[in-house]
Amino acid sequence: MKLNIRACILGLILVLSIFSCKKSNDTATSTGSTNAGGTTGTGTTSGDSTTGVSTFAGSVISKGSLTTPTGLCFDSQGNLYVTEITNSDIKKIDPSGNISLFTGQSSNPGCEDVGSTLTFPDGIWFAHDSLYVADHICSHVKTFNLTGTAKTYLFNNPNSYYQEPVGVCIDNTGNVFIVNETGDEGVLEITTGGQVIKYGDGTSGFKDGTAATAEFGFMSSICADNSGNVYIADSHRIRRIANGTVTTIAGNNNLGATDGQ
C-alpha cells in the first residue's frame, strides 16, 4: 500500500510537470558553497531584474536535461549530484551546468549489493569522498565513490529493521542516520562503533521524546548541521534529534504556510 501511494504521488508530479512547466527566461545566476552540514547559495542581479532564483541546469538543451530531480548534494570540487527517482539514476552537474550520467539507468534498475544500479533513488549525502544514496525500493543505502565504484552500505542489523529509506545523512562525528518513509519504520542511527539505534516506537504519530518513545508520521528528507543535530521533514513539521531526544521545532497540527514562531 505504501508503495502504491508513493507511485501515485510520483505519477501526479509527472502529470503536473507536463502541463505546468515552462522554460525560464530569467538571466540571473547563482553560486553555492558546501560544508559538512549542507549547502548555502547567493543570488545575483542581472539586467533590470532583481531576483534570487535562476535555473542552474536543465534549461539549455545542449548541456543535457533532467526528468525528476529529487535529492541534491555537492562534492568537494563543486560538482552537484542529483538523484532522479523515476529514472533510477544519478546525474552529475559540473559548475558550468553541464549534465552527465554518473550512475544507474532507467532501462536497467536493480538492487544488487555491489554494482551501479539503483531503483527509485531518493535522498543523497556526500561524505568521505563518497555519495550515500537512499535507494528506496531496494530498501538499502548505497555508497558510490567519485569514480563510480559502488556497494551497499552494510551495518550490524540484529533486529532486521525493515527499511523504505527516503533520506540519509552523516553527522559531524560520523554517525549515519537513515530516515524511512513512515512512522512505523522510524529513523535509524548507525554509530561509528556499529551500534544501531532506532528512533520511533513503531507507530505513526508526532509525539516527541526519547528514541524509544517518540513517534513519526510521513517523512521525506533528513540533514545534519555542524553541531551534530539532525533535522527531519516529517509531514508538515520539522523534527530534530539532539542528544538522543526527538523534538518538534517547527510546524504543528495545522497544514499551511503561515509565518510565525
Side-chain angles (χ1 to χ4, degrees):
M1 179 63 70
K2 285 176 286 190
L3 178 58
N4 291 334
I5 292 173
R6 190 170 184 84
C8 289
I9 293 173
L10 290 169
L12 178 60
I13 291 172
L14 288 172
V15 171
L16 290 174
S17 67
I18 291 172
F19 288 99
S20 64
C21 288
K22 62 181 180 178
K23 180 183 287 188
S24 171
N25 291 320
D26 292 341
T27 56
T29 60
S30 64
T31 59
S33 60
T34 185
N35 55 42
T39 61
T40 59
T42 59
T44 62
T45 302
S46 176
D48 295 330
S49 175
T50 300
T51 178
V53 179
S54 63
T55 300
F56 173 66
S59 61
V60 180
I61 295 176
S62 62
K63 291 189 174 185
S65 61
L66 299 165
T67 303
T68 49
T70 309
L72 303 167
C73 74
F74 281 93
D75 67 15
S76 56
Q77 303 302 313
N79 299 299
L80 178 63
Y81 296 85
V82 182
T83 55
E84 293 193 292
I85 195 165
T86 59
N87 272 6
S88 294
D89 66 22
I90 299 173
K91 293 289 177 52
K92 176 181 177 181
I93 307 175
D94 70 19
S96 297
N98 297 298
I99 302 170
S100 61
L101 178 66
F102 176 74
T103 192
Q105 51 185 310
S106 59
S107 61
N108 184 35
C111 294
E112 73 270 27
D113 285 336
V114 179
S116 61
T117 62
L118 298 156
T119 305
F120 273 36
D122 203 337
I124 186 171
W125 190 264
F126 176 78
H128 313 305
D129 292 324
S130 295
L131 301 175
Y132 291 70
V133 182
D135 201 1
H136 181 75
I137 298 301
C138 296
S139 297
H140 62 209
V141 168
K142 233 174 175 177
T143 64
F144 298 86
N145 66 29
L146 295 188
T147 64
T149 303
K151 64 179 180 179
T152 297
Y153 177 77
L154 300 176
F155 58 91
N156 180 27
N157 194 9
N159 296 308
S160 298
Y161 293 126
Y162 180 68
Q163 293 184 44
E164 285 186 316
V166 293
V168 58
C169 73
I170 301 175
D171 69 13
N172 61 342
T173 60
N175 303 305
V176 178
F177 288 80
I178 301 171
V179 61
N180 293 298
E181 187 173 41
T182 59
D184 56 326
E185 296 163 359
V187 179
L188 301 182
E189 175 186 359
I190 299 94
T191 70
T192 55
Q195 179 186 6
V196 179
I197 301 171
K198 182 177 181 180
Y199 291 83
D201 66 2
T203 59
S204 293
F206 301 104
K207 183 171 65 176
D208 292 336
T210 64
T213 62
E215 297 175 350
F216 295 95
F218 190 86
M219 296 170 283
S220 58
S221 61
I222 189 170
C223 71
D225 66 19
N226 290 331
S227 299
N229 302 303
V230 173
Y231 300 86
I232 300 160
D234 183 7
S235 301
H236 37 87
R237 296 169 173 81
I238 302 298
R239 317 290 296 280
R240 177 174 64 197
I241 298 176
N243 299 317
T245 300
V246 179
T247 57
T248 301
I249 64 167
N252 50 44
N253 290 330
N254 300 315
L255 176 67
T258 304
D259 292 337
Q261 293 296 313

